[in-house]
Amino acid sequence: MTRVAAIDCGTNSIRLLVADLPGPDDPPGAPLGDLIRQMEIVRLGQGVDRTGRLAPEAIERTRTALVGYAERIESLGVDRVRMCATSASRDASNADDFRAMVLDTLGVAPEVVTGVEEARLSFTGAVRGLPADARPPYLVVDIGGGSTEFVVGGAEVESAVSVDIGCVRMTERHLHGDPPSADQVAAAEVDIAEAVDRALAVVPGREAATLVGLAGSVTTVVGIARELPEYDPTRIHHARVSYEAVAKVTADLLARSAAQRMEIPVMHPGRADVIGAGALVLRIIMERAGMTSVVASEHDILDGIAWSLA
């Protein structure tokens, strides 16, 4: 048995997965043996779209979360650790400060992965164990805080691309009102649609049979659409939601203030101010790709990072 720790540090959140890899005596296709899945909202990408730098307070919030993660990794006797840092730390001019902090806190340097590598890891994590009605080829979209990854494939990745649209970036760039004005939403729609069309010119997403959506924006929208009384990953994982339901949830979120969004039972406190933009990205992807439904997955880049340690 090999015990691994995967850390995904994105623009909005930092997440930890500690799991046991399947052993030689396990059946083919055996899943990871999860021990811990944990998430903290640290907003590492705060202001990066505007300043081009990671804010000192954002680096400190991330350091605080990593201290707790390092303690859990040590207590569980992990054999291998891999941390991947994504959009915010790709864009920042002071990424070396972030790297030094992580190495000092965790004892492992973060890998600032490219958008395409991020997409491939997300695909690997997402497509293992999909239900039978989720037919290939798949269009897997990972809607993060600063970027969105598009991957098309069946048993393996055929093509991938990353574009700079995400819930934090689009909120900071366009959705300044609380709630945002109609003009602000319209400007965001144009920006998102142009980026989605660029992505779909690279990957053949319109030819895919199934849209699989990853990350907190998607899972939150699905939880709202399902009218869950609380955030329940077991009821969200592999749930299928129609385009009409996504459009309805998106309109409702954009009409609410952040305080009103906080009243939604499945809402994470750190997501309430940016979920409108995340939902808008999902809705426009479905429109531009011609998808009538989306299958949510709680397994994503974090799982892909863990599998890469096999």
Side-chain angles (χ1 to χ4, degrees):
M1 183 187 71
T2 301
R3 181 161 293 175
V4 300
I7 299 175
D8 167 39
C9 185
T11 302
N12 195 42
S13 65
I14 184 167
R15 299 180 300 147
L16 168 68
L17 168 62
V18 177
D20 292 329
L21 295 172
D25 296 330
D26 290 312
L32 294 168
D34 290 14
L35 297 173
I36 287 179
R37 284 183 187 262
Q38 187 171 346
M39 179 191 73
E40 302 288 342
I41 300 288
V42 295
R43 197 64 58 83
L44 179 62
Q46 172 192 333
V48 168
D49 191 55
R50 176 177 53 85
T51 67
R53 295 179 60 81
L54 297 171
E57 61 270 29
I59 294 177
E60 176 58 22
R61 289 193 298 267
T62 306
R63 188 196 67 80
T64 300
L66 277 174
V67 168
Y69 287 1
E71 291 173 352
R72 287 167 178 79
I73 288 169
E74 182 176 4
S75 68
L76 289 168
V78 167
D79 300 301
R80 301 172 189 164
V81 180
R82 184 182 184 190
M83 175 175 170
C84 292
T86 53
S87 178
S89 49
R90 279 201 303 268
D91 300 341
S93 60
N94 61 336
D96 287 346
D97 295 340
F98 169 74
R99 178 184 173 87
M101 179 278 290
V102 172
L103 185 58
D104 182 61
T105 306
L106 191 64
V108 174
E111 299 177 44
V112 182
V113 297
T114 66
V116 171
E117 174 63 9
E118 184 178 352
R120 293 180 186 276
L121 289 169
S122 296
F123 185 88
T124 299
V127 302
R128 286 176 180 256
L130 280 173
D133 67 343
R135 295 181 297 106
Y138 310 108
L139 168 59
V140 175
V141 293
D142 186 345
I143 302 173
S147 64
T148 295
E149 284 65 55
F150 294 71
V151 198
V152 171
E156 57 187 37
V157 172
E158 295 173 7
S159 57
V161 68
S162 177
V163 292
D164 285 338
I165 51 172
C167 60
V168 175
R169 193 185 297 270
M170 291 298 98
T171 299
E172 291 185 350
R173 187 179 293 177
H174 297 293
L175 305 182
H176 304 135
D178 188 28
S181 68
D183 286 346
Q184 290 170 358
V185 172
E189 288 175 329
V190 170
D191 198 358
I192 295 166
E194 289 177 350
V196 171
D197 285 346
R198 288 198 305 273
L200 293 176
V202 176
V203 301
R206 296 184 178 94
E207 300 171 14
T210 302
L211 173 65
V212 182
L214 315 182
S217 289
V218 174
T219 58
T220 300
V221 167
V222 169
I224 296 170
R226 288 294 182 99
E227 299 181 349
L228 298 184
E230 61 184 2
Y231 192 95
D232 184 350
T234 63
R235 297 179 65 183
I236 292 171
H237 187 48
H238 292 167
R240 186 185 290 270
V241 172
S242 69
Y243 166 78
E244 290 77 15
V246 170
K248 182 178 183 298
V249 170
T250 302
D252 178 65
L253 288 170
L254 290 169
R256 294 185 183 221
S257 66
Q260 290 170 329
R261 294 174 196 148
M262 279 294 299
E263 297 172 358
I264 300 172
V266 301
M267 190 64 62
H268 189 287
R271 207 174 293 285
D273 58 335
V274 296
I275 186 60
L280 194 60
V281 171
L282 175 61
R283 193 205 79 196
I284 291 173
I285 289 172
M286 296 181 77
E287 289 170 356
R288 309 305 280 194
M291 293 293 178
T292 59
S293 66
V294 58
V295 176
S297 178
E298 290 279 352
H299 294 177
D300 51 26
I301 186 174
L302 195 60
D303 301 75
I305 295 168
W307 283 114
S308 75
L309 292 168

